[in-house]
Amino acid sequence: MTWQPHITVATIVEDNGRFLLVEEFKAGRHVFNQPAGHLEANETLLEAALRETLEETAWDVELTGIVGIYLYTAPSNGVTYQRICFAARPLRHHPERALDTDIVRATWLTRDELLADPERWRSELVPQCIDDYLAGPLHSLSLIRN
């Protein structure tokens, strides 16, 4: 078997101390995650982050920086993910837009509201990315080379 990491993107969208999260139904339970997903063929990392955020939350956002690059092996399936986490600011909501089928809803939570219920995190990366965003620094988008 050939080991191959999965390339994913995630987006931290903050508005006045609240963070845009998605509620998903995974492994028989409702969990919170950043808008996130896999890089698709012929797509840049920046395009993937914008697309996933729109598809999962119905929000157009402007990417403002890179929070970090994470390597995570999921204990549930042993798959290794490389996550590139971006920061963004909200621009426009499209409430009429249907969300991806595996998304229950998009919601805004404070860090404290998220931390109060660790059983609802999709993974430990959810609060870690928020904490890294808050601690800074944000890295320039020019770090990404296409």
Side-chain angles (χ1 to χ4, degrees), residues 13-126:
V13 183
E14 187 214 3
D15 186 38
N16 294 315
R18 296 179 317 136
F19 295 91
L20 182 59
L21 297 167
V22 296
E23 184 177 342
E24 306 170 290
F25 191 69
K26 295 288 181 187
R29 62 191 185 106
H30 289 258
V31 294
F32 290 115
N33 196 8
Q34 279 88 26
H38 291 267
L39 178 68
E40 294 182 357
N42 302 313
E43 183 176 53
T44 69
L45 292 166
L46 301 170
E47 290 167 345
L50 294 171
R51 175 187 52 76
E52 287 289 352
T53 303
L54 180 61
E55 290 176 354
E56 294 190 352
T57 69
W59 275 91
D60 286 319
V61 298
E62 176 186 8
L63 300 177
T64 58
I66 300 167
V67 175
I69 300 171
Y70 304 81
L71 201 59
Y72 176 76
T73 300
S76 61
N77 61 13
V79 173
T80 299
Y81 299 90
Q82 180 181 352
R83 173 189 262 210
I84 297 88
C85 185
F86 294 92
R89 66 181 187 89
L91 294 177
R92 181 172 176 228
H93 186 228
H94 304 274
E96 72 289 348
R97 185 181 171 94
L99 304 181
D100 275 358
T101 56
D102 58 340
I103 303 299
V104 175
R105 68 182 173 126
T107 189
W108 293 89
L109 296 177
T110 65
R111 178 183 177 274
D112 289 342
E113 289 169 332
L114 178 68
L115 292 181
D117 198 359
E119 295 298 316
R120 301 272 318 266
W121 302 343
R122 171 84 184 259
S123 77
E124 298 81 20
L125 288 180
V126 177

